[in-house]
Amino acid sequence: MISYEQAKNLVMEQAKILGKEEVTLAKALGRVAAEDLKSKIPVPPFRNSAVDGYAVRSEDTVGQEGPVKLELAAEQPAGEYFEKKLRRGQAVKVMTGAPVPAGADSVVPVEEAEQKNGLILIRREFKPLENVRQAGEDVKKGQTIISRGTLLRAPHLGLLAACGVSRLMVFRQPRVVILITGNELCRPGQKLQPGKIYDSNSTILQALLKTSGARLLAIKQVRDNLKALTAAIGSAANRADIIITSGGVSVGDYDLVKEAAIRVGAEQVFWKVAQKPAKPLAFYQLKKGRRPAWIFGLPGNPGAVMISFEEYVRPFIKKVSGRQDFWPREVEAALAEPFRKKRGRLNFVRVRLIQVDGAWQARLLPQQESGIISSLTEADGLALIPAEADFLPEGTKVKVHLVEW
Ligand code: AMP
Ligand code: MG
């Protein structure tokens, strides 16, 4: 049996970027930039007003007795351009975002001015550049705005839009087929027959995939039958980059995923990891004169599914999607109570993170068995209790991987 570190490395060293494609900005959310992008324009493109007010020459507001009186020369709404130059003693009414006319160097907010008979009354001195946004103060022309490997979220898309970019190159998303095994399963909504349970892994895996950056092609229920399973894996391999199976990788009589994977020509990278839960985790590579594909054989227990997804499948998906930041985010936390376990397997322990005096404390959730779903809803992260440990006293510092589910 291999260690968690070995398994993680074996998975991640297989992760290769799948290719590139061009998308419109509207389709770019959640995708990963495939190249560095420079702005062709400065943002803002011109000097403009940060407030609704009056553009003035700051020197006109200085050193006078009583309120300064300036002549209202023009009005300048946003989106229009004032051709003339502001002369001494003049003000131009400007709205937020409107160009500040040549000659003006400061903007008096509406709240600090009075408009009377074509004159603007100002009661304090204004310094140069007050309420003026400089051209290029956000982005300089030629500045790199997005670098290769960046996950594109709302602010990145906003930045691209501000620079006038409407299409960009992104990495291709991995295509995923999910195969759910288990003759005991029935779908939520159906009547529960004796001996059956509702299938939760279909729902769990679809939900996990949604936030992973992968594209789900299909999800299928397959009976615990070698022929059916071999056919399902074979046909999934024709179109998917990643096949995720649920259940059937353990040592029971109906655990047929391993056999089926071998029959379609997959090569086992590993089976069984010294971890708890998800000990029977299996990972395969498919080559054979075709583009590569991979099979993650996840154990059937929902806890094992979720934890192996976070620890192995999600980082793998991120890496093949071209992301630079593929590992789970990690904090160090002190155990809020002692932890006892058998030596030999690394334990992923569901914890809640609490701040105590500025430091993270990890509270163990009461039920940790891999069949338990309810405590997963409470977890902020997974504490990694090393394989060789058998007792950790309260206060021991442990690594906690923050979950993205
Ligand atoms: P297996 O890995 O197939 O031996 O399944 C291990 C445990 O997980 C058994 O108790 C199964 O009933 C349960 N299980 C398997 N698949 C699912 C599923 N899709 N939803 C909920 N429980 C499942
Ligand atoms: Mg099963």
Side-chain angles (χ1 to χ4, degrees):
M1 197 156 46
I2 61 170
S3 70
Y4 159 66
E5 284 75 19
Q6 287 170 314
K8 192 169 78 166
N9 290 338
L10 285 168
V11 167
M12 295 307 268
E13 78 195 14
Q14 299 263 342
K16 304 272 153 42
I17 284 170
L18 300 165
K20 296 177 188 180
E21 64 194 8
E22 196 182 56
V23 290
T24 61
L25 203 53
K27 291 266 165 73
L29 182 65
R31 303 298 299 271
V32 181
E35 50 194 28
D36 292 346
L37 240 133
K38 290 185 169 54
S39 181
K40 294 195 171 112
I41 58 158
V43 178
F46 52 87
R47 202 171 66 129
N48 69 88
S49 175
V51 294
D52 295 316
Y54 300 92
V56 299
R57 302 160 70 102
S58 58
E59 61 191 34
D60 287 351
T61 68
V62 177
Q64 301 210 15
E65 285 289 311
V68 168
K69 295 192 180 102
L70 301 177
E71 171 209 346
L72 181 58
E75 290 202 0
Q76 171 89 82
E80 284 175 29
Y81 192 72
F82 182 75
E83 296 285 347
K84 284 178 286 185
K85 191 173 168 190
L86 195 79
R87 290 195 314 262
R88 291 207 64 163
Q90 286 187 330
V92 168
K93 190 168 194 181
V94 288
M95 309 303 152
T96 306
V100 172
D105 66 349
S106 200
V107 181
V108 177
V110 175
E111 298 84 346
E112 294 187 60
E114 204 181 314
Q115 188 174 334
K116 226 182 193 175
N117 310 325
L119 291 178
I120 307 303
L121 277 55
I122 301 165
R123 289 173 216 286
R124 73 164 173 94
E125 291 181 6
F126 279 77
K127 290 192 282 296
L129 304 183
E130 273 193 68
N131 303 314
V132 175
R133 304 193 283 215
Q134 296 303 328
E137 73 176 19
D138 191 352
V139 177
K140 304 215 166 20
K141 184 176 170 177
Q143 184 181 326
T144 300
I145 43 170
I146 298 289
S147 42
R148 177 186 154 96
T150 304
L151 174 67
L152 301 167
R153 301 177 192 264
H156 304 99
L157 301 187
L159 185 59
L160 289 163
C163 295
V165 176
S166 64
R167 313 181 70 85
L168 73 160
M169 293 302 290
V170 295
F171 290 118
R172 180 163 82 68
Q173 293 177 290
R175 294 180 287 239
V176 177
V177 169
I178 299 174
L179 301 175
I180 301 289
T181 74
N183 291 350
E184 73 277 33
L185 302 176
C186 82
R187 285 172 213 261
Q190 290 178 338
K191 189 171 181 321
L192 199 60
Q193 303 293 341
K196 305 275 182 191
I197 59 165
Y198 285 123
D199 166 16
S200 38
N201 292 344
S202 292
T203 304
I204 287 172
L205 282 168
Q206 287 180 83
L208 290 171
L209 269 182
K210 264 207 172 128
T211 55
S212 72
R215 188 154 77 84
L216 179 62
L217 294 184
I219 174 157
K220 288 210 174 101
Q221 331 292 329
V222 192
R223 297 195 61 78
D224 292 319
N225 163 297
L226 190 55
K227 241 176 108 182
L229 206 47
T230 309
I233 295 179
S235 90
N238 290 331
R239 39 196 204 126
D241 303 300
I242 300 172
I243 301 165
I244 301 175
T245 64
S246 143
V249 281
S250 195
V251 291
D253 292 347
Y254 296 94
D255 290 336
L256 303 167
V257 169
K258 301 186 299 291
E259 176 70 30
I262 298 304
R263 286 203 180 186
V264 301
E267 219 173 87
Q268 182 183 298
V269 180
F270 62 78
W271 173 50
K272 283 193 180 166
V273 182
Q275 63 187 8
K276 188 180 174 186
K279 177 170 122 184
L281 178 69
F283 183 56
Y284 300 85
Q285 184 189 14
L286 264 153
K287 281 191 276 190
K288 282 192 46 189
R290 53 195 293 292
R291 57 176 176 73
W294 299 274
I295 306 171
F296 284 94
L298 309 187
N301 278 306
V305 165
M306 292 196 65
I307 289 168
S308 17
F309 190 92
E310 290 303 295
E311 291 293 334
Y312 299 94
V313 185
R314 192 190 294 278
F316 183 83
I317 288 174
K318 286 181 179 172
K319 195 171 173 200
V320 298
S321 306
R323 283 181 61 175
Q324 304 286 337
D325 55 334
F326 37 80
W327 296 116
R329 286 206 294 151
E330 184 178 300
V331 298
E332 199 185 55
L335 287 179
E337 60 222 83
F339 189 82
R340 230 175 266 282
K341 76 183 226 333
K342 282 203 212 126
R343 275 183 219 265
R345 288 200 269 159
L346 178 139
N347 284 28
F348 297 110
V349 180
R350 307 163 190 191
V351 298
R352 249 213 138 127
L353 288 170
I354 323 271
Q355 280 255 311
V356 179
D357 300 329
W360 289 113
Q361 202 180 66
R363 302 227 164 129
L364 312 184
L365 291 164
Q367 288 179 295
Q368 296 285 345
E369 295 74 22
S370 63
I372 299 286
I373 307 178
S374 49
S375 65
L376 292 163
T377 66
E378 306 286 316
D380 296 313
L382 301 170
L384 275 64
I385 313 291
E388 64 279 11
D390 63 350
F391 176 73
L392 301 183
E394 176 188 332
T396 307
K397 293 273 174 60
V398 292
K399 275 187 201 170
V400 177
H401 285 177
L402 304 180
V403 292
E404 285 187 42
W405 63 56

